[in-house]
Amino acid sequence: MQYGFVIDQTRCIGCHACTVACKSENGVPLGDFRTWVKYTEAGAFPEVKRSFTVLRCNQCSAAPCVEICPVTALHKRPDGIVDVDPRICIGCKACMQACPYDALYLNDTTGTAQKCHFCAHRMEHGLAPACTAVCPTEALIPGDFDDPESRVSKMKRSQDLRVRKPEAGTGPNVFYVEAAAAGLDPLQTSAAGGYLWANQQPGPQLDAQLFEAFEQKAKARTVYDVAHPPLWGWMVSTYLFTKSQAAGIFLAGMAAGIPGLGIPMLSLFFLALTAVLLVGDLKRPDRFLSILLRPQWKSWLCKGAVILSAYGALLATRLPGWEHPALSLVTAIAATLTAGYTAWLFGQCKGRVLWMKQGLFGHLIVQAGVAGSGFLLLVHRAEGLRPLLAGSLLLHLVLTLLEGRLSPPGREAEFARTVRLVSHGPYAWRHWRVGVGIGILLPFALLCSDNPALWALAGVGALMGLYVEEDILVRAGQALPIS
């Protein structure tokens, strides 16, 4: 079985009955939505057309939210419905980043993710979903797409139906009859002109849309929508930074031949900070151990927790002074995976195309080299660290300048749109002046000196720029609307 919807937008009148019924039936909190109606307008006076588009979970055949969930809280039922078990969810918000349709939200009261579950409690008793039951025009048509005799299957065979973001490869099971292109594709519309009955929330998302409005004229404008605020903030940015330090200090110390216990101790310190940030960003930190006790092995959030734990254990074995070459090699491999696994985690975030860029694993390794050699120059100033930092900065600069060419396959337009926010938009000042200027070019120039004090200053600049670049990656990736 595979339950899903056909939504006939020729019948939808934008009354929001489906939204209200869903909220009432499922106790959806104020400000959150499992289904909502987006209004878009296209044309020029006097020939302007307003269109309605009902948006919701697509009950995907290859649901990315299920794949990224580290604790099996999200699962696909035998009837094809994607559901969340609130008794298991740890509130990591990864599923919300993985969804290209903005279909999940976080219940602030319970600290767990929630979404449309096709009113499974009603379906199990032979009742239609609440939204379907109240729709006055019968625009919402539920059914089993695996049943060739069902109404939805017949409509799929006989009509030219469309889905949202087929390029994401999720296999959506919500199909649309004559939906406005701007309602399905956020690339074709802009909310920079303002809403019908509300003011937009100021912040990075509005800044991004205002910038885009100056850059190019959208085919349509969004005049009614619901808010989808950024989910990850400074804690995730800082987690990237401390993880770069934890991995980079060991790798740089080993490459420079710095002896003693200071290197593993420093790496362990930053690794502990990384763990604190990861747990602190969870909405249910009391359930953190579930990642290790009931792992979902397809999730790179789960695999990452294992990698961090293994790296910490290997560092701890070095504290008694045991520095066997084989152990050093294994620890270096664990450090490399610690630095780079986030690339594979971000690759599972199908809703955030900037994070899916090609070559991110290698770039994170290079950033670890910048972090480790930059920090050690502050505390050790060994001659061997200077060429290591210079080489890492050079690679970091090359990969940064090539970013616009690193789009994931099939998502080129969306990727280019987001990259431009960094290169020319609201993040450009921090990117070029701090991330590149202070963080790469200035340190590179200071390293040409024979003065160790200037090497230390180069380390400070490199660390400042690295944090800014990793923070921009997190924030810019969430700045533009995806639904």
Side-chain angles (χ1 to χ4, degrees), residues 175-193:
F175 292 82
Y176 291 85
V177 177
E178 295 189 27
L184 300 183
D185 183 3
L187 293 178
Q188 297 193 26
T189 186
S190 171

Side-chain angles (χ1 to χ4, degrees), residues 421-438 468-469 472:
L421 294 180
V422 179
S423 62
H424 293 78
Y427 300 95
W429 192 95
R430 293 178 66 210
H431 170 63
W432 293 115
R433 287 169 175 76
V434 183
V436 175
I438 296 176
V468 165
E469 286 296 286
I472 288 174

Side-chain angles (χ1 to χ4, degrees), residues 47-388:
E47 296 182 1
V48 178
K49 181 179 180 180
R50 178 176 299 161
S51 301
F52 310 121
T53 312
V54 179
L55 304 180
R56 55 171 40 160
C57 170
N58 281 246
Q59 311 298 340
C60 301
S61 297
C65 57
V66 173
E67 185 176 83
I68 203 172
C69 177
V71 294
T72 69
L74 275 135
H75 55 280
K76 195 164 177 65
R77 294 163 37 121
D79 54 14
I81 296 171
V82 178
D83 203 356
V84 186
D85 190 338
R87 300 167 299 177
I88 302 172
C89 178
I90 61 175
C92 66
K93 295 166 283 190
C95 58
M96 302 164 71
Q97 305 287 20
C99 176
Y101 310 110
D102 265 339
L104 293 103
Y105 64 91
L106 194 76
N107 187 316
D108 288 331
T109 302
T110 63
T112 59
Q114 295 181 345
K115 60 178 288 297
C116 165
H117 52 32
F118 216 82
C119 283
H121 59 289
R122 292 172 59 90
M123 298 292 289
E124 289 166 357
H125 291 86
L127 300 174
C131 58
T132 303
V134 302
C135 180
T137 60
E138 298 184 4
L140 307 177
I141 306 159
D144 178 10
F145 284 105
D146 281 354
D147 178 3
E149 298 304 314
S150 69
R151 184 182 175 190
V152 292
S153 290
K154 291 178 180 178
M155 293 181 74
K156 184 179 177 182
R157 289 195 302 268
S158 63
Q159 299 186 41
D160 182 21
L161 305 183
R162 296 185 61 189
V163 296
R164 294 167 65 197
K165 293 194 176 180
E167 68 275 9
T170 62
N173 288 295
V174 173
F175 292 82
Y176 291 85
V177 177
E178 295 189 27
L184 300 183
D185 183 3
L187 293 178
Q188 297 193 26
T189 186
S190 171
Y195 288 155
L196 284 173
W197 305 300
N199 294 324
Q200 292 172 280
Q201 291 284 348
Q205 291 172 310
L206 180 57
D207 293 342
Q209 294 198 64
L210 289 172
F211 165 74
E212 277 208 323
F214 283 109
E215 284 278 286
Q216 57 186 358
K217 184 175 177 60
K219 295 180 180 179
R221 70 187 192 106
T222 301
V223 295
Y224 183 90
D225 203 358
V226 300
H228 294 281
L231 304 167
W232 286 345
W234 71 268
M235 279 193 175
V236 174
S237 303
T238 309
Y239 140 81
L240 283 176
F241 183 71
T242 57
K243 186 165 65 69
S244 295
Q245 297 274 33
I249 286 172
F250 180 83
L251 293 172
M254 194 171 91
I258 300 175
L261 301 179
I263 297 299
M265 289 181 68
L266 282 170
S267 294
L268 272 173
F269 171 74
F270 282 107
L271 193 64
L273 281 181
T274 301
V276 168
L277 289 164
L278 282 173
V279 176
D281 196 53
L282 301 178
K283 292 301 181 181
R284 291 301 303 265
D286 54 308
R287 297 178 178 177
F288 171 72
L289 286 177
S290 298
I291 297 178
L292 300 176
L293 297 178
R294 52 174 309 142
Q296 197 281 100
W297 289 112
K298 290 183 179 180
S299 169
W300 273 100
L301 194 61
C302 171
K303 293 175 185 177
V306 173
I307 289 170
L308 294 178
S309 301
Y311 181 45
L314 288 166
L315 288 172
T317 61
R318 301 179 65 89
L319 294 182
W322 183 30
E323 297 186 3
H324 193 277
L327 178 63
S328 296
L329 177 60
V330 173
T331 308
I333 293 172
T336 302
L337 290 173
T338 294
Y341 82 85
T342 306
W344 296 318
L345 170 62
F346 278 4
Q348 291 183 310
C349 295
K350 298 290 182 68
R352 307 299 174 187
V353 68
L354 180 65
W355 301 349
M356 298 171 65
K357 64 180 179 180
Q358 299 180 74
L360 182 56
F361 179 84
H363 201 165
L364 290 175
I365 305 303
V366 170
Q367 289 179 342
V370 172
S373 53
F375 182 84
L376 289 178
L377 271 175
L378 290 174
V379 298
H380 203 281
R381 302 182 191 179
E383 173 65 33
L385 292 168
R386 183 164 61 142
L388 184 59

